[in-house]
Amino acid sequence: MAGKYYAVRVGRTPGIYYNWNDCKAMVDGFQGAVYKSFKTIAEADAFMQGAAAAPGNVKAGQSKAGENKNADGDMREKALPEVYAFVDGSFHAGKKVYGYGGYLVHHGEKEVLKGSGNEPEMASMRNVAGEVLGSMSAIQKALELGLKELTIYYDYMGIEMWATGAWKRNKAGTIAYYDYVQSIKDKLKITFVKVKGHSGVEGNEEADRLAKEAVGILPE
């Protein structure tokens, strides 16, 4: 596991980096660079989400997420699309097991998504491994069902940023995630929507519960 996480909010390629040399390459000599080191990836992610994404971070045609950035608000007032998924990840530190949970809704039908793993390199990413696998699981299920569009609701920014290439991929899991999304983008139109975690959004709460179940974390 990385000793420190380096969050580059403004730089050549904004994102979270796992070593200083990669971070330095993004900020050294870059006018107005904004970056900071953190002990946990959660803190780094919170720092990244503290400001709007810089123009050009998300390539045109890959995602319409910019149209949905207000999803952190009260989703009870927003109509959900006909096809959508909520996904989340979790990590059991004692067992070194990562997992994902969520569900996909299509034309009134609900498909539960849940799984786990303990591969060491993926486990080094902790709950982030589950976040990535949850998104991939939703995409795979959509393809199996022959769907053409999918809206993915998530609470961890990397789900969108790694998929679109806005964040640099430093781990095997994030590289595989980006490659997979790019390989199917002509078959499935994906829209990413950020929601605020643990804020009462029903779909996010259910995805969180399923992810915890997947890794063996019992409800309190």
Side-chain angles (χ1 to χ4, degrees), residues 82-220:
E82 189 173 30
V83 178
Y84 66 91
F86 276 90
V87 298
D88 205 357
S90 189
F91 181 71
H92 193 303
K95 297 179 180 178
K96 304 297 182 185
V97 172
Y98 50 86
Y100 64 88
Y103 61 89
L104 183 151
V105 172
H106 61 101
H107 311 102
E109 298 292 328
K110 183 176 181 179
E111 310 280 347
V112 174
L113 309 169
K114 188 163 71 170
S116 63
N118 59 3
E119 194 278 321
E121 186 171 0
M122 289 291 288
S124 71
M125 297 169 61
R126 300 175 69 84
N127 66 297
V128 174
E131 304 275 2
V132 166
L133 292 177
S135 180
M136 291 178 68
S137 176
I139 294 170
Q140 289 168 350
K141 177 58 69 174
L143 291 172
E144 288 175 11
L145 294 168
L147 303 175
K148 300 301 181 183
E149 296 188 9
L150 173 65
T151 298
I152 298 178
Y153 292 90
Y154 65 91
D155 64 11
Y156 176 66
M157 204 67 183
I159 291 298
E160 178 179 351
M161 296 295 103
W162 282 318
T164 60
W167 282 7
K168 184 176 180 180
R169 283 80 61 201
N170 300 87
K171 297 281 188 175
T174 57
I175 293 170
Y177 176 49
Y178 171 79
D179 289 345
Y180 176 68
V181 173
Q182 297 308 302
S183 73
I184 59 85
K185 66 180 182 180
D186 293 333
K187 301 175 183 177
L188 181 69
K189 181 181 178 182
I190 305 172
T191 299
F192 293 98
V193 179
K194 173 78 168 61
V195 299
K196 187 175 182 180
H198 309 292
S199 63
V201 175
E202 186 176 346
N204 178 254
E205 296 292 342
E206 182 172 351
D208 176 67
R209 176 180 61 79
L210 288 167
K212 288 177 178 176
E213 286 182 2
V215 300
I217 296 177
L218 301 176
E220 296 181 358

Side-chain angles (χ1 to χ4, degrees), residues 38-94:
F38 297 91
K39 292 183 179 179
T40 69
I41 196 165
E43 293 173 321
D45 181 50
F47 176 78
M48 291 298 296
Q49 295 182 46
N57 277 356
V58 180
K59 296 179 180 178
Q62 291 182 314
S63 169
K64 298 192 336 186
E67 300 173 9
N68 299 288
K69 290 303 180 183
N70 61 352
D72 271 355
D74 189 352
M75 287 194 61
R76 290 172 296 183
E77 299 178 0
K78 299 176 175 64
L80 291 167
E82 189 173 30
V83 178
Y84 66 91
F86 276 90
V87 298
D88 205 357
S90 189
F91 181 71
H92 193 303

